[in-house]
């Protein structure tokens, strides 16, 4: 059987279709198809607190395509979650009704805290040393979710209105950055050494640029070096010379700045990059249901 997960983010919209298999240890999933459409909903939501008719139409068309794919793949269960951009769009509820009517997809706008919970529900930390403490860092277009694991349990979790699209649009605030810094300082006391777990498209790309093998963590110094290299090029050069996609070439700079800031304030020297995200967490939640 197949399940599907839809993540309607501030930068991109993703569809993951996964094969669900039963084993002696329970149900597991294998990724079948992953699609990403860079709609950039956050550009309008953070600046205007609403989505235009043009952007709404693009979202509906994307959902119609996803609906058709789910039907062709014979998906038996799915969930569709919308995050920061839709949380701030005043016409978000009306758009959800239109998507239901025109694409037959039910969308749920989730809180930042639930978003954080869904991301770490992929249980990557289960494969690591339980004697260590971990900080999940998920950087999106509109928000950054942090979750601290100690003794294999979540001891603190929070969502901050700091994200790549928000930063590019100058909609991040000094107050929220201070909140982020203080939260890290307050909640990581006595939990050193702390190891990072990074999720999101940008940290995945940064890990690939590092040429490290899958499963090998990035060091703070290596990440800082990659950031400095990328930042030495103009946006146009990052696209033409470094061969980055246009919708990645701009957001990867603020994303790097968020990861580096969090790692610095938390005293993190290494960060694992399991290449999982909200869609993976959604599939896990469907299995658990």
């Amino acid at each position: 059987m197949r399940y599907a997960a839809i993540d309607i983010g501030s930068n991109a919209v993703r569809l993951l279709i996964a094969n669900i298999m039963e084993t002696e240890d329970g149900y597991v999933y294998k990724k079948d198809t992953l699609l990403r459409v860079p709609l950039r909903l956050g550009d309008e939501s953070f600046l205007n607190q609403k989505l235009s008719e043009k952007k709404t139409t693009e979202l509906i068309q994307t959902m119609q395509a996803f609906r058709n794919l789910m039907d062709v793949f014979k998906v038996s269960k799915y969930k569709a979650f919308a995050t920061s951009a839709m949380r701030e769009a005043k016409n978000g509820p009306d758009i959800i009704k239109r998507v239901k009517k025109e694409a037959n997809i039910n969308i749920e706008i989730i809180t930042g805290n639930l978003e954080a919970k869904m991301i770490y529900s992929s249980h990557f930390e289960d494969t690591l040393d339980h004697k260590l403490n971990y900080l999940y860092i998920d950087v999106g277009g509109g928000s950054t979710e942090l979750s601290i694991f100690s003794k294999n349990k979540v001891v603190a979790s929070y969502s901050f209105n700091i994200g790549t699209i928000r930063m590019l649009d100058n909609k991040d605030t000094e107050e929220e950055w201070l909140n982020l810094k203080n939260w890290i300082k307050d909640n990581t006391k006595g939990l050193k050494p702390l190891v990072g777990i990074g999720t999101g498209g940008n940290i995945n790309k940064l890990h690939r640029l590092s040429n490290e093998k899958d499963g090998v963590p990035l060091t703070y110094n290596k990440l800082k070096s990659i950031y400095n290299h990328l930042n030495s090029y103009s946006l146009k050069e990052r696209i033409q010379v470094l061969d980055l996609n246009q919708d990645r070439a701009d957001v990867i700079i603020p994303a790097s700045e968020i990861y580096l800031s969090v790692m610095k304030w938390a005293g993190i020297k290494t960060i694992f990059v399991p290449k999982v995200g909200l869609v993976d967490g959604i599939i896990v939640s469907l299995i658990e249901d």
Side-chain angles (χ1 to χ4, degrees):
M1 59 184 170
R2 293 189 179 98
Y3 291 169
I6 296 174
D7 168 15
I8 301 170
S10 303
N11 185 27
V13 178
R14 295 175 179 83
L15 167 68
L16 171 62
I17 296 175
N19 293 314
I20 312 302
M21 297 164 287
E22 188 173 10
T23 69
E24 292 181 356
D25 299 321
Y27 288 95
V28 296
Y29 74 95
K30 182 179 180 182
K31 296 181 183 181
D32 186 315
T33 301
L34 178 62
L35 291 176
R36 177 181 180 275
V37 183
L39 287 186
R40 289 278 169 107
L41 301 180
D43 273 336
E44 294 188 349
S45 182
F46 303 143
L47 290 172
N48 307 319
Q49 283 71 58
K50 65 177 295 186
L51 298 184
S52 66
E53 181 60 32
K54 179 177 181 295
K55 191 67 73 175
T56 300
T57 298
E58 290 176 354
L59 175 60
I60 291 172
Q61 290 173 335
T62 302
M63 291 300 104
Q64 289 171 334
F66 285 2
R67 176 76 265 177
N68 289 335
L69 280 171
M70 289 194 294
D71 290 343
V72 169
F73 276 90
K74 296 180 172 57
V75 168
S76 56
K77 291 174 68 176
Y78 80 92
K79 283 183 181 179
F81 287 164
T83 58
S84 189
M86 289 290 279
R87 282 197 292 267
E88 295 194 21
K90 294 178 180 177
N91 57 342
D94 292 332
I95 293 172
I96 285 177
K97 291 177 182 177
R98 288 184 58 183
V99 170
K100 171 59 179 173
K101 181 179 180 181
E102 299 179 41
N104 193 26
I105 287 180
N106 292 303
I107 297 173
E108 180 182 350
I109 299 177
I110 61 172
T111 65
N113 288 334
L114 179 55
E115 184 178 355
K117 181 180 179 182
M118 294 299 299
I119 291 163
Y120 66 66
S121 69
S122 59
H123 302 302
F124 174 75
E125 77 287 345
D126 289 348
T127 65
L128 303 175
D129 188 345
H130 292 176
K131 296 177 184 177
L132 299 177
N133 303 304
Y134 297 93
L135 176 62
Y136 262 87
I137 311 165
D138 181 77
V139 175
S143 61
T144 293
E145 279 68 44
L146 301 183
S147 299
I148 299 173
F149 275 78
S150 181
K151 297 178 181 178
N152 212 31
K153 292 183 179 180
V154 182
V155 296
S157 186
Y158 204 82
S159 176
F160 298 88
N161 283 333
I162 296 173
T164 58
I165 302 298
R166 204 182 289 271
M167 288 174 67
L168 290 174
D169 291 338
N170 293 314
K171 289 299 180 180
D172 56 318
T173 66
E174 290 185 16
E175 180 182 8
E176 192 70 347
W177 277 101
L178 184 60
N179 289 339
L180 174 65
K181 183 177 182 179
N182 289 337
W183 187 91
I184 293 171
K185 296 289 186 182
D186 292 342
N187 287 279
T188 60
K189 290 177 181 177
L191 295 179
K192 306 298 174 61
L194 200 60
V195 178
I197 300 175
T199 57
N202 287 295
I203 195 68
N204 292 348
K205 185 64 177 180
L206 289 163
H207 192 272
R208 281 192 285 270
L209 290 172
S210 74
N211 293 319
E212 295 284 7
K213 293 181 180 179
D214 285 350
V216 177
L218 278 176
T219 65
Y220 175 88
N221 290 335
K222 185 68 174 281
L223 184 58
K224 183 71 177 291
S225 176
I226 297 170
Y227 164 70
N228 288 335
H229 177 67
L230 291 170
N231 207 26
S232 68
Y233 290 87
S234 67
L235 174 60
K236 187 176 181 180
E237 289 171 335
R238 289 197 292 274
I239 296 170
Q240 296 181 347
V241 179
L242 300 182
D243 198 30
L244 293 179
N245 289 337
Q246 185 171 350
D247 61 286
R248 180 68 66 200
D250 54 354
V251 294
I252 201 167
I253 297 299
S256 300
E257 292 169 355
I258 297 172
Y259 284 109
L260 287 168
S261 295
V262 171
M263 291 176 71
K264 179 181 178 181
W265 293 333
I268 292 173
K269 295 181 180 179
T270 57
I271 182 169
F272 285 91
V273 184
K275 295 182 173 62
V276 297
L278 180 58
V279 286
D280 296 89
I282 294 172
I283 294 294
V284 171
S285 75
L286 285 168
I287 291 174
E288 291 177 346
D289 286 347

